[in-house]
């Protein structure tokens, strides 16, 4: 299989505009993310997909590869446009605001497809256990519930599952926005109309579920910093 990584990168962001161009250490957030993905050595090629000339120039001027796209509602739609003419089998989507992703979880996502002999999985992604009440209730943390085989049942910004039976312990998982797609499933995704659940939650992978596709979730112990707010950026700077 030919495996590539694509990093969707919007300059504007509702909660933190221009966050990808903020300085993290001696480099911008987007350059840090790009270089960390390249350094894993897992991919035949790594690209940034963006509608911003500022981000495009930032990557190219630092020796990277970037693809200009049109404006899109979701990162997956942007990636679909970027890869439609690229020869590949599996596309790994790494969020531009997750600069500290490590090799192991990316390798786990790739292995999902290497072991999927029947090619029934359209998408694979990561989840991590949440234990703090504040983190569980934070709508910026997308929660996910899965079946016994690790396939996604639903994603939500609300607390899921609702803990009605307090005598029974329940686990909560945060969805980490790193996706691995079969290319043909990604291209199909981009042609599908958004449905009410995706529109309501503003969570793009719900579109796969609404159209009956299978999403495999892999539990990870990876602890990074997703940069959604200025406060997150300060946390990330402390890790440099």
């Amino acid at each position: 299989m030919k495996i590539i990584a694509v990093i969707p990168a919007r300059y504007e962001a509702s909660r933190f505009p221009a966050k990808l161009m903020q300085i993290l250490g001696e480099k911008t957030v987007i350059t840090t993310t790009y270089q960390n993905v390249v350094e894993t050595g897992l991919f035949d090629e790594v690209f940034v997909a963006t509608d911003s000339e500022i981000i495009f120039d930032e990557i190219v001027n630092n020796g990277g590869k970037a693809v200009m796209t049109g404006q899109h509602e979701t990162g997956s739609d942007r990636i679909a446009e970027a890869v439609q003419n690229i020869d590949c089998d599996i596309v790994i989507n790494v969020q531009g605001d997750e600069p500290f992703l490590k090799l192991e979880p990316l390798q786990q996502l790739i292995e999902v497809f290497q072991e999927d002999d029947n090619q029934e999985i359209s998408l694979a992604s990561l989840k991590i256990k949440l234990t703090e009440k504040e983190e569980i209730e934070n709508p910026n943390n997308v929660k996910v519930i899965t079946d016994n085989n690790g396939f996604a049942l639903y994603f939500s910004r609300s607390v899921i599952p609702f803990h009605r039976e307090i005598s029974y312990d329940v686990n909560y998982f945060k969805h980490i926005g790193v996706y691995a797609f079969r290319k043909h499933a990604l291209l199909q995704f981009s042609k599908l109309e958004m449905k009410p659940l995706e529109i309501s939650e503003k969570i793009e992978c719900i579109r796969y579920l609404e159209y009956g596709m299978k999403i495999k979730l892999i539990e990870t112990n990876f602890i990074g910093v997703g940069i959604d707010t200025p406060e997150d950026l300060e946390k990330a700077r402390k890790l440099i």
Side-chain angles (χ1 to χ4, degrees), residues 39-153:
E39 288 172 5
T40 66
L42 294 173
F43 304 105
D44 296 293
E45 292 182 284
V46 179
F47 299 91
V48 167
T50 184
D51 59 5
S52 165
E53 292 184 5
I54 294 172
I55 291 176
F56 181 92
D57 291 343
E58 166 70 9
I59 294 301
V60 172
N61 291 341
N62 282 282
K65 297 180 180 180
V67 178
M68 285 293 295
T69 69
Q71 295 185 353
H72 294 283
E73 286 291 323
T74 72
S76 296
D77 289 314
R78 187 182 308 283
I79 290 175
E81 179 187 346
V83 305
Q84 59 185 339
N85 296 318
I86 295 176
D87 178 26
C88 61
D89 301 294
I90 304 298
V91 181
I92 308 293
N93 166 4
V94 178
Q95 301 287 43
D97 59 4
E98 286 275 358
F100 301 119
L101 193 63
K102 303 299 183 181
L103 183 148
E104 183 179 357
L106 295 176
Q107 181 64 57
Q108 289 176 306
L109 292 176
I110 292 170
E111 289 172 355
V112 167
F113 294 99
Q114 292 173 335
E115 297 168 0
D116 183 26
D117 295 333
N118 296 325
Q119 298 191 13
E120 62 179 359
I121 299 172
S122 296
L123 169 62
S125 195
L126 300 173
K127 65 178 182 178
I128 187 168
K129 188 176 293 185
L130 292 174
T131 57
E132 300 296 326
K133 184 175 185 291
E134 179 181 353
E135 292 296 304
I136 293 169
E137 295 179 350
N138 186 344
N140 290 329
N141 290 334
V142 173
K143 274 69 69 176
V144 60
I145 51 175
T146 61
D147 67 15
N148 289 334
N149 294 313
F151 288 102
L153 295 172

Side-chain angles (χ1 to χ4, degrees), residues 20-40:
L20 298 183
M21 290 299 295
Q22 301 301 309
I23 298 301
L24 187 60
E26 298 180 352
K27 298 175 287 189
T28 61
V29 171
I30 188 61
T31 295
T32 301
T33 302
Y34 180 88
Q35 292 178 352
N36 284 349
V37 174
V38 170
E39 288 172 5
T40 66

Side-chain angles (χ1 to χ4, degrees), residues 102-215:
K102 303 299 183 181
L103 183 148
E104 183 179 357
L106 295 176
Q107 181 64 57
Q108 289 176 306
L109 292 176
I110 292 170
E111 289 172 355
V112 167
F113 294 99
Q114 292 173 335
E115 297 168 0
D116 183 26
D117 295 333
N118 296 325
Q119 298 191 13
E120 62 179 359
I121 299 172
S122 296
L123 169 62
S125 195
L126 300 173
K127 65 178 182 178
I128 187 168
K129 188 176 293 185
L130 292 174
T131 57
E132 300 296 326
K133 184 175 185 291
E134 179 181 353
E135 292 296 304
I136 293 169
E137 295 179 350
N138 186 344
N140 290 329
N141 290 334
V142 173
K143 274 69 69 176
V144 60
I145 51 175
T146 61
D147 67 15
N148 289 334
N149 294 313
F151 288 102
L153 295 172
Y154 193 59
F155 300 83
S156 183
R157 298 185 184 278
S158 297
V159 177
I160 53 173
F162 179 74
H163 199 180
R164 182 177 180 180
E165 179 50 71
I166 61 174
S167 65
Y168 184 81
D169 289 333
V170 64
N171 291 323
Y172 293 92
F173 289 94
K174 175 184 176 179
H175 176 226
I176 297 177
V178 182
Y179 306 98
F181 309 91
R182 291 197 186 278
K183 180 184 176 181
H184 67 79
L186 175 61
L187 296 181
Q188 180 184 358
F189 168 94
S190 68
K191 297 174 183 177
L192 297 174
E193 178 186 357
M194 285 189 186
K195 293 292 187 179
L197 293 176
E198 178 188 4
I199 294 170
S200 175
E201 294 264 18
K202 295 293 184 183
I203 301 172
E204 62 194 75
C205 50
I206 290 177
R207 193 183 316 177
Y208 286 88
L209 299 182
E210 290 189 274
Y211 283 94
M213 299 184 194
K214 287 192 172 184
I215 303 177

